[in-house]
Amino acid sequence: MSSLSASPPGGRLKMPRLWGALVLVALLLGVFVWTRQQEQPAGGKKGMGNLKNVPAPVTLAPVTLQTMPVQIQTIGTVEPVSTVTLKPQIEGRLIGIHFQEGAFVEQGQLLFSIDTQPIQASLAQAQATVSKDQSLVAQAQANLVRDQSAVKQAQANIERDAAQLEYAVAQEKRFASLLKDDFISQDQYEQAVTSRRAAEATLLADRSALENARAIVTADRSSIESALANVRADQAVVESNRIKLAYGTIRAPFSGRTGSLKIHVGDTVKAGDTELVRLDRMNPINVGFSVPEQSLKSLRASGKARRFPVGVETRETPPTRLTGLVDFLDNTVDTNTGTIRMKASFANESRKLWPGQYVDVVLKLAQQANAVVIPLLALQSGQQGDYVYVARAGLAKLRPVVVDRIVGNQVVIRSGLSAGEQVVTDGQFQLSDGSRLQVKAGTPETRPVAGQ
């Protein structure tokens, strides 16, 4: 107990003193705040109402009548006009790649080489076969000429032996008359009969020889046709090998950009099966996009879709802006998305657009004359909708508006404003309905506000 009575003054009395100091500070702070509130004439809610008496510095812009585009804004995807995956037309070993993958190539530029030695050997063999069959044709034609001569000779023999038969017949008749008058012997008459029979037999043999010669000529002609058919078949084999030989070099079908290589030198390729590289045409280039089916009315009202101008803007910094024309409008509405597919073509000589790239698209349907336009900076939005502050008699008047569309940094107003009025474009955060206005120095395209 004695030790407690001997404790120093800073022991038990330290905490009560600290709390007392804090209470004193709080009381002084409360008195200071109350005093300041009593001194401020615009304090509290009454002070907020008095702000209307202090002119707010603002920038004004006139409401104008302009010709504005009627357009649809959407997102599109860049698509190559043409894309092809190159494949070989012959089987063989790849012996050369003549470009860097991912490079731009020109139409007709050599891209790949395939070993054609087997094809060259087949071509030489086919050419030799053609020469051999052409010799057979020449031989058959010579045989035809010879056998046609034999036919002519047989015909001549017939004519000669027919004359001899006619003479023998006449001789037999004469000898028969002489025999009857006993001017010749029986033996002489028999000789005349024998001569006539021999002439008949000779003429019959001549006719058989003629038929045989004609049959040989017919056979010769068939042989010539067969030999010619063989030559044509052989020439077809030669032409086929020549075509295959031409397929040994693969060239770019159009100017464009190559993708990644899918094969390397030394690999064996198969005709029509092995993929070599993909080639995309970069100029011109397409942008595909979809518009809502509700736009059909505007599309029809604005004329032919193929003439619609389209603007695109890339999402890089700084953005690239290009203008093209619609060249495709799908014939059906996609029932899953309720949109219509469209494409526009763009000149892309500088290769600013890249396949697969997303771009912002503006489809320009028509031009609206005498549209009520204000700067985008003047438009405000609240719980009750869109509104602007109109400068009138030196005061700010809150005016609800109906926005038709936003075009760049301008707003087309459907209702709520008239041309010639002025709207606040800067300083709206200080305003309420009825606030006094002070136009900033250097405000463009404004007129003095009454009451200043």
Side-chain angles (χ1 to χ4, degrees):
M1 294 297 295
S2 61
S3 62
L4 292 175
S5 61
S7 61
R12 299 183 59 183
L13 296 178
K14 184 176 181 179
M15 292 301 295
R17 288 179 180 177
L18 178 60
W19 283 108
L22 292 175
V23 171
L24 180 61
V25 170
L27 290 174
L28 292 175
L29 182 60
V31 171
F32 174 77
V33 172
W34 180 84
T35 303
R36 293 291 297 172
Q37 290 178 343
Q38 294 300 318
E39 292 175 354
Q40 293 177 355
K45 295 183 179 179
K46 295 181 180 180
M48 293 299 294
N50 293 334
L51 284 177
K52 293 185 178 180
N53 299 321
V54 180
V58 297
T59 300
L60 302 181
V63 180
T64 60
L65 294 179
Q66 300 183 33
T67 299
M68 297 295 291
V70 178
Q71 59 191 28
I72 299 173
Q73 295 180 332
T74 183
I75 297 174
T77 306
V78 180
E79 304 171 356
V81 173
S82 302
T83 182
V84 62
T85 299
L86 298 180
K87 296 182 180 180
Q89 300 301 307
I90 60 172
E91 183 174 348
R93 183 172 58 89
L94 188 67
I95 59 175
I97 298 176
H98 308 283
F99 67 98
Q100 294 291 330
E101 60 180 344
F104 287 89
V105 296
E106 298 296 329
Q107 182 176 2
Q109 180 177 334
L110 179 62
L111 303 181
F112 300 97
S113 297
I114 301 173
D115 185 12
T116 57
Q117 290 183 354
I119 300 174
Q120 290 174 344
S122 298
L123 176 60
Q125 183 180 1
Q127 288 172 332
T129 303
V130 168
S131 299
K132 181 190 70 175
D133 290 340
Q134 285 176 337
S135 299
L136 293 177
V137 169
Q139 181 62 41
Q141 289 173 337
N143 292 340
L144 177 62
V145 172
R146 181 196 64 196
D147 294 334
Q148 284 176 335
S149 298
V151 169
K152 291 179 180 180
Q153 182 62 43
Q155 288 174 337
N157 292 339
I158 288 175
E159 292 176 359
R160 181 197 63 196
D161 293 338
Q164 291 178 353
L165 175 60
E166 184 179 358
Y167 174 77
V169 170
Q171 191 74 352
E172 180 186 0
K173 290 180 179 180
R174 187 172 68 85
F175 277 30
S177 177
L178 292 174
L179 178 63
K180 183 178 180 182
D181 294 334
D182 293 330
F183 287 111
I184 62 170
S185 65
Q186 183 68 31
D187 291 337
Q188 289 177 319
Y189 173 73
E190 292 294 336
Q191 288 179 359
V193 173
T194 301
S195 296
R196 188 263 305 168
R197 290 176 178 173
E200 288 179 345
T202 300
L203 184 58
L204 183 61
D206 290 340
R207 287 173 177 170
S208 296
L210 177 60
E211 292 299 324
N212 186 49
R214 286 174 173 171
I216 291 174
V217 167
T218 301
D220 290 341
R221 286 172 176 163
S222 297
S223 297
I224 291 174
E225 290 299 325
S226 177
L228 288 173
N230 290 337
V231 169
R232 287 192 291 267
D234 295 335
Q235 288 174 336
V237 174
V238 169
E239 189 63 25
S240 175
N241 280 281
R242 283 177 177 168
I243 293 174
K244 290 180 180 179
L245 198 60
Y247 287 151
T249 55
I250 301 175
R251 300 181 179 273
F254 50 78
S255 300
R257 180 180 179 272
T258 60
S260 60
L261 286 169
K262 302 182 183 299
I263 200 168
H264 303 87
V265 172
D267 291 339
T268 299
V269 299
K270 294 183 179 180
D273 182 55
T274 306
E275 294 185 359
L276 302 177
V277 72
R278 174 174 168 170
L279 179 64
D280 292 333
R281 187 192 295 271
M282 300 289 289
N283 182 38
I285 201 164
N286 285 340
V287 172
F289 56 95
S290 297
V291 297
E293 61 179 317
Q294 292 81 1
S295 304
L296 268 175
K297 182 178 180 180
S298 299
L299 291 172
R300 291 168 180 162
S302 300
K304 296 182 179 179
R306 293 186 180 275
R307 304 309 305 165
F308 290 155
V310 178
V312 297
E313 181 177 309
T314 63
R315 298 183 174 183
E316 58 197 3
T317 304
T320 298
R321 297 179 179 88
L322 296 174
T323 301
L325 291 175
V326 170
D327 59 6
F328 170 76
L329 174 64
D330 207 348
N331 58 358
T332 58
V333 175
D334 189 333
T335 56
N336 294 324
T337 61
T339 58
I340 309 167
R341 181 71 174 169
M342 302 182 74
K343 287 183 183 180
S345 179
F346 296 82
N348 194 35
E349 296 178 358
S350 58
R351 299 165 186 163
K352 295 295 186 180
L353 298 181
W354 209 258
Q357 184 180 18
Y358 286 102
V359 292
D360 294 319
V361 179
V362 178
L363 173 62
K364 301 175 183 178
L365 300 178
Q367 296 287 335
Q368 178 185 355
N370 297 322
V372 178
V373 179
I374 63 171
L376 180 60
L377 293 174
L379 184 65
Q380 304 292 309
S381 296
Q383 294 182 352
Q384 303 300 322
D386 297 325
Y387 66 92
V388 297
Y389 283 108
V390 177
R392 188 171 184 181
L395 301 178
K397 297 296 183 180
L398 189 148
R399 181 85 59 80
V401 295
V402 177
V403 175
D404 185 274
R405 62 189 181 277
I406 297 175
V407 181
N409 59 356
Q410 294 181 304
V411 183
V412 178
I413 301 299
R414 185 178 301 172
S415 63
L417 292 173
S418 300
E421 294 184 300
Q422 290 189 319
V423 292
V424 178
T425 58
D426 182 44
Q428 295 97 322
F429 71 96
Q430 307 174 75
L431 302 179
S432 62
D433 191 20
S435 297
R436 294 182 60 197
L437 300 178
Q438 178 183 4
V439 180
K440 294 181 181 180
T443 298
E445 299 183 6
T446 59
R447 60 173 181 260
V449 179
Q452 295 298 313

